[in-house]
Coordinates of all heavy atoms in Angstrom, one line a residue:
C60 N 109.2 91.3 120.4 CA 108.1 92.1 121.1 C 108.2 93.5 121.1 O 109.4 94.1 120.9 CB 107.9 91.6 122.6 SG 109.2 92.1 123.7
G61 N 107.2 94.2 121.2 CA 107.1 95.7 121.2 C 105.7 96.3 121.3 O 104.8 95.5 121.0
N62 N 105.5 97.5 121.4 CA 104.1 98.2 121.4 C 103.9 99.0 120.2 O 104.9 99.7 119.7 CB 104.1 98.9 122.7 CG 104.3 98.1 123.9 OD1 103.3 97.3 124.3 ND2 105.4 98.3 124.7
G63 N 102.7 99.1 119.9 CA 102.4 100.1 118.7 C 103.1 99.7 117.5 O 103.0 98.7 117.0
G64 N 103.8 100.7 117.0 CA 104.6 100.6 115.7 C 105.7 99.5 115.9 O 106.1 98.7 115.0
S65 N 106.2 99.4 117.1 CA 107.2 98.3 117.3 C 106.6 97.0 117.4 O 107.2 96.0 117.1 CB 107.9 98.7 118.7 OG 108.5 99.9 118.7
A66 N 105.3 96.9 117.8 CA 104.6 95.5 117.7 C 104.6 95.1 116.1 O 104.7 94.0 115.9 CB 103.2 95.7 118.3
A67 N 104.2 96.1 115.4 CA 104.1 95.8 114.0 C 105.6 95.5 113.3 O 105.5 94.6 112.6 CB 103.7 97.1 113.2
D68 N 106.5 96.1 113.8 CA 107.9 95.7 113.3 C 108.2 94.3 113.8 O 108.8 93.5 113.1 CB 108.9 96.7 114.0 CG 108.9 98.0 113.2 OD1 108.3 98.2 112.1 OD2 109.5 99.0 113.8
S69 N 107.9 94.0 115.2 CA 108.0 92.6 115.6 C 107.4 91.6 114.6 O 108.0 90.7 114.2 CB 107.4 92.5 117.0 OG 108.1 93.4 117.9
A128 N 113.7 92.7 121.5 CA 112.8 93.6 122.1 C 112.9 95.0 121.4 O 114.1 95.5 121.4 CB 113.1 93.7 123.6
I129 N 111.9 95.5 121.0 CA 111.9 96.8 120.3 C 111.2 97.9 121.1 O 109.9 97.8 121.3 CB 111.2 96.5 118.9 CG1 111.8 95.4 118.1 CG2 111.4 97.9 118.0 CD1 111.2 95.1 116.8
S130 N 111.8 99.0 121.2 CA 111.2 100.1 122.0 C 111.9 101.3 121.6 O 113.0 101.4 121.8 CB 111.3 99.9 123.5 OG 110.9 101.1 124.2
T131 N 111.2 102.3 121.0 CA 111.8 103.6 120.5 C 112.4 104.3 121.7 O 113.4 104.9 121.6 CB 110.7 104.4 119.8 OG1 109.7 104.7 120.6 CG2 110.4 103.7 118.5
S132 N 111.7 104.3 122.9 CA 112.3 105.1 124.0 C 113.1 104.3 124.8 O 114.0 104.8 125.6 CB 111.1 105.5 124.8 OG 110.4 104.4 125.5
G133 N 113.0 103.0 124.8 CA 113.8 102.0 125.7 C 113.2 102.0 127.2 O 113.8 101.4 128.0
N134 N 112.1 102.5 127.3 CA 111.5 102.6 128.7 C 110.1 102.0 128.7 O 109.3 102.2 129.7 CB 111.3 104.0 129.1 CG 112.7 104.6 129.3 OD1 113.5 104.0 129.9 ND2 112.9 105.8 128.9
S135 N 109.6 101.1 127.7 CA 108.4 100.4 127.7 C 108.4 99.4 128.9 O 109.1 98.4 128.9 CB 108.1 99.7 126.3 OG 108.2 100.7 125.3
G136 N 107.4 99.5 129.7 CA 107.4 98.7 131.0 C 107.4 97.2 130.7 O 108.0 96.4 131.2
N137 N 106.4 96.9 129.7 CA 106.2 95.5 129.4 C 107.4 94.9 128.7 O 107.7 93.6 128.8 CB 104.9 95.2 128.7 CG 104.8 96.0 127.5 OD1 105.7 96.7 127.1 ND2 103.5 96.1 126.9
V138 N 108.1 95.7 128.0 CA 109.3 95.2 127.4 C 110.5 95.0 128.2 O 111.2 94.0 128.2 CB 109.7 96.2 126.2 CG1 110.9 95.7 125.4 CG2 108.5 96.3 125.1
I139 N 110.6 95.9 129.1 CA 111.6 95.9 130.2 C 111.4 94.5 131.2 O 112.3 93.8 131.3 CB 111.6 97.1 131.2 CG1 112.1 98.4 130.5 CG2 112.3 96.9 132.5 CD1 111.8 99.6 131.2
V154 N 118.1 94.4 122.0 CA 117.3 95.5 122.1 C 117.5 96.5 120.9 O 118.6 96.8 120.6 CB 117.3 96.3 123.3 CG1 116.6 97.7 123.3 CG2 116.8 95.5 124.5
L155 N 116.3 96.9 120.2 CA 116.4 97.9 119.2 C 115.8 99.1 119.8 O 114.6 99.1 120.1 CB 115.7 97.6 117.9 CG 116.1 96.3 117.2 CD1 115.3 96.1 115.9 CD2 117.5 96.2 116.9
T156 N 116.5 100.3 119.9 CA 115.9 101.4 120.6 C 116.4 102.6 119.9 O 116.9 102.6 118.8 CB 116.3 101.4 122.1 OG1 115.6 102.5 122.8 CG2 117.9 101.4 122.4
G157 N 116.2 103.8 120.6 CA 116.7 105.0 120.0 C 116.9 106.1 121.1 O 117.0 105.6 122.3
K158 N 117.0 107.3 120.7 CA 117.1 108.4 121.8 C 118.4 108.1 122.6 O 119.5 107.7 122.1 CB 115.9 108.6 122.6 CG 114.7 109.1 121.7 CD 113.4 109.2 122.6 CE 112.3 109.7 121.7 NZ 111.1 110.1 122.5
D159 N 118.2 108.1 124.0 CA 119.3 107.7 124.8 C 119.5 106.3 125.2 O 120.2 105.8 126.0 CB 119.4 108.5 126.1 CG 118.2 108.3 126.9 OD1 117.3 107.6 126.6 OD2 118.1 109.0 128.1
G160 N 118.5 105.4 124.6 CA 118.5 104.0 125.0 C 117.6 103.6 126.0 O 117.2 102.5 126.1
G161 N 117.3 104.5 127.0 CA 116.4 104.4 128.0 C 116.9 103.2 129.0 O 118.1 102.9 128.9
K162 N 116.0 102.7 129.8 CA 116.4 101.6 130.8 C 116.8 100.3 130.1 O 117.8 99.5 130.6 CB 115.2 101.3 131.7 CG 114.8 102.6 132.5 CD 113.6 102.2 133.4 CE 113.2 103.4 134.3 NZ 112.0 103.1 135.1
L163 N 116.3 100.1 128.9 CA 116.6 98.8 128.1 C 118.1 98.8 127.9 O 118.7 97.7 127.9 CB 115.8 98.7 126.9 CG 114.3 98.2 127.3 CD1 113.4 98.4 126.0 CD2 114.2 96.8 127.9
A164 N 118.6 99.9 127.5 CA 120.1 99.9 127.0 C 121.0 99.3 128.1 O 122.1 98.8 127.7 CB 120.5 101.2 126.6
V170 N 122.6 95.9 122.2 CA 121.8 97.0 121.9 C 122.1 97.7 120.6 O 123.3 97.9 120.3 CB 122.0 98.2 123.0 CG1 121.0 99.3 122.7 CG2 121.6 97.6 124.4
I171 N 121.1 97.9 119.8 CA 121.3 98.8 118.5 C 120.4 100.0 118.8 O 119.2 99.9 118.8 CB 120.8 98.0 117.3 CG1 121.5 96.6 117.2 CG2 121.0 98.9 116.0 CD1 121.1 95.7 116.0
K172 N 121.1 101.1 118.9 CA 120.4 102.4 119.2 C 120.4 103.3 118.0 O 121.4 103.8 117.6 CB 121.1 103.1 120.5 CG 120.3 104.2 121.0 CD 121.0 104.8 122.2 CE 122.5 105.2 122.1 NZ 123.1 105.7 123.3
V173 N 119.3 103.5 117.4 CA 119.2 104.4 116.4 C 119.5 105.9 116.7 O 118.9 106.3 117.7 CB 117.8 104.3 115.7 CG1 117.6 105.5 114.6 CG2 117.5 102.9 115.1
P174 N 120.5 106.5 116.1 CA 121.0 107.8 116.5 C 119.9 108.8 116.1 O 120.1 109.7 115.1 CB 122.3 108.0 115.9 CG 122.2 107.0 114.6 CD 121.3 106.0 114.9
S175 N 118.8 108.9 116.7 CA 117.8 110.0 116.5 C 117.0 110.2 117.7 O 116.8 109.3 118.6 CB 116.9 109.6 115.3 OG 115.9 110.5 115.1
Q176 N 116.3 111.4 117.8 CA 115.4 111.7 118.9 C 113.9 111.7 118.4 O 113.0 111.8 119.1 CB 115.6 113.3 119.4 CG 117.1 113.4 120.0 CD 117.3 112.5 121.3 OE1 116.3 112.5 122.2 NE2 118.2 111.9 121.5
N177 N 113.7 111.4 117.1 CA 112.5 111.5 116.4 C 111.8 110.1 116.3 O 112.5 109.3 115.7 CB 112.6 112.1 115.0 CG 111.3 112.3 114.3 OD1 110.6 111.3 114.0 ND2 110.7 113.5 114.2
V178 N 110.7 109.9 117.0 CA 110.1 108.6 117.0 C 109.9 107.9 115.5 O 110.2 106.8 115.2 CB 108.8 108.6 117.7 CG1 108.1 107.3 117.6 CG2 109.0 108.9 119.1
Q179 N 109.5 108.8 114.6 CA 109.3 108.3 113.3 C 110.5 107.8 112.6 O 110.6 106.8 112.0 CB 108.6 109.5 112.4 CG 107.2 109.9 112.8 CD 107.1 111.3 112.4 OE1 107.1 112.2 113.0 NE2 106.6 111.4 111.1
R180 N 111.6 108.6 112.7 CA 112.9 108.2 112.2 C 113.5 106.9 112.8 O 114.1 106.2 112.2 CB 113.9 109.3 112.4 CG 113.5 110.7 111.8 CD 113.5 110.7 110.3 NE 112.3 110.3 109.6 CZ 111.3 111.1 109.5 NH1 111.3 112.4 109.6 NH2 110.1 110.7 108.9
I181 N 113.3 106.9 114.2 CA 113.7 105.6 114.9 C 113.0 104.4 114.4 O 113.6 103.4 114.1 CB 113.5 105.7 116.4 CG1 114.3 106.9 117.0 CG2 113.8 104.5 117.2 CD1 114.0 107.4 118.4
Q182 N 111.6 104.5 114.2 CA 110.9 103.3 113.7 C 111.3 103.0 112.3 O 111.4 101.8 112.0 CB 109.4 103.7 113.8 CG 108.8 103.7 115.1 CD 107.4 104.1 115.2 OE1 106.8 104.8 114.4 NE2 106.7 103.6 116.2
E183 N 111.6 103.9 111.5 CA 112.1 103.6 110.2 C 113.4 103.1 110.2 O 113.7 102.2 109.5 CB 112.1 105.0 109.3 CG 110.8 105.6 108.9 CD 110.8 107.1 108.6 OE1 112.1 107.6 108.6 OE2 109.9 107.7 108.5
G184 N 114.3 103.5 111.1 CA 115.5 102.8 111.3 C 115.4 101.4 111.8 O 116.2 100.5 111.3
H185 N 114.5 101.1 112.7 CA 114.3 99.8 113.2 C 113.9 98.8 112.1 O 114.5 97.7 112.1 CB 113.2 99.8 114.3 CG 113.7 100.3 115.5 ND1 112.9 100.6 116.6 CD2 114.9 100.7 116.0 CE1 113.5 101.1 117.6 NE2 114.8 101.2 117.2
I186 N 113.0 99.0 111.3 CA 112.6 98.1 110.2 C 113.7 98.1 109.2 O 113.8 96.9 108.7 CB 111.2 98.5 109.6 CG1 110.7 97.3 108.9 CG2 111.3 99.7 108.6 CD1 110.5 96.1 109.8

Side-chain angles (χ1 to χ4, degrees):
C60 69
N62 298 289
S65 299
D68 287 343
S69 298
I129 308 175
S130 171
T131 57
S132 68
N134 293 314
S135 302
N137 52 11
V138 179
I139 290 171
V154 165
L155 303 186
T156 186
K158 300 184 179 181
D159 64 358
K162 295 178 182 178
L163 284 168
V170 179
I171 303 175
K172 183 172 64 176
V173 172
S175 176
Q176 298 295 316
N177 183 292
V178 172
Q179 296 155 262
R180 302 290 90 86
I181 295 168
Q182 289 178 330
E183 291 162 5
H185 283 170
I186 198 58

